[in-house]
Amino acid sequence: MNLGSIPRRPEECSGRDLSGMVVKVQDKVRHPDCFVCTECEENLRQKGYYFIDDELYCETHTHAQAKPPESPDL
C-alpha cells in the first residue's frame, strides 16, 4: 500500500503518525493495534467484524447493536 495517499494521522488512531503496517477498512486506515471493537476494544485482526453507523464492532457487540427488522402487522 502506498503510504503517500494515506492520511498521516487518522482520527481513528488518536492522531498517531502512520508508519509501517496499516489496516485499511472501508476507505479508513488504522494501525493494526487500533483495529478494535468500539464497545469492548477487542482486537479484530483475524476475526469477524462489522460496521454499524460507521463504527467497528466484534460479532458479539454487533448482535447487541443490530436491531432486528420489524415484522409487518398481518
Side-chain angles (χ1 to χ4, degrees), residues 3 6-10 13 16-23 29-32:
L3 288 177
I6 295 173
R8 297 270 310 145
R9 293 184 175 186
C13 297
R16 293 184 1 216
D17 282 342
L18 280 174
S19 61
M21 181 88 61
V22 295
V23 177
V29 181
R30 300 170 189 254
H31 300 98

Side-chain angles (χ1 to χ4, degrees), residues 5-65:
S5 63
I6 295 173
R8 297 270 310 145
R9 293 184 175 186
E11 61 208 41
E12 296 87 359
C13 297
S14 303
R16 293 184 1 216
D17 282 342
L18 280 174
S19 61
M21 181 88 61
V22 295
V23 177
K24 184 176 181 186
V25 180
Q26 296 223 348
D27 296 328
K28 293 189 178 185
V29 181
R30 300 170 189 254
H31 300 98
D33 60 334
C34 296
F35 183 53
V36 297
C37 174
T38 300
E39 287 291 319
C40 66
E41 297 187 4
E42 176 182 15
N43 196 291
L44 300 172
R45 287 182 286 179
Q46 309 263 332
K47 297 182 181 179
Y49 62 89
Y50 304 85
F51 274 97
I52 299 175
D53 297 329
D54 210 29
E55 298 285 344
L56 279 170
Y57 292 94
C58 65
E59 188 170 0
T60 299
H61 288 105
T62 294
H63 294 296
Q65 291 291 319

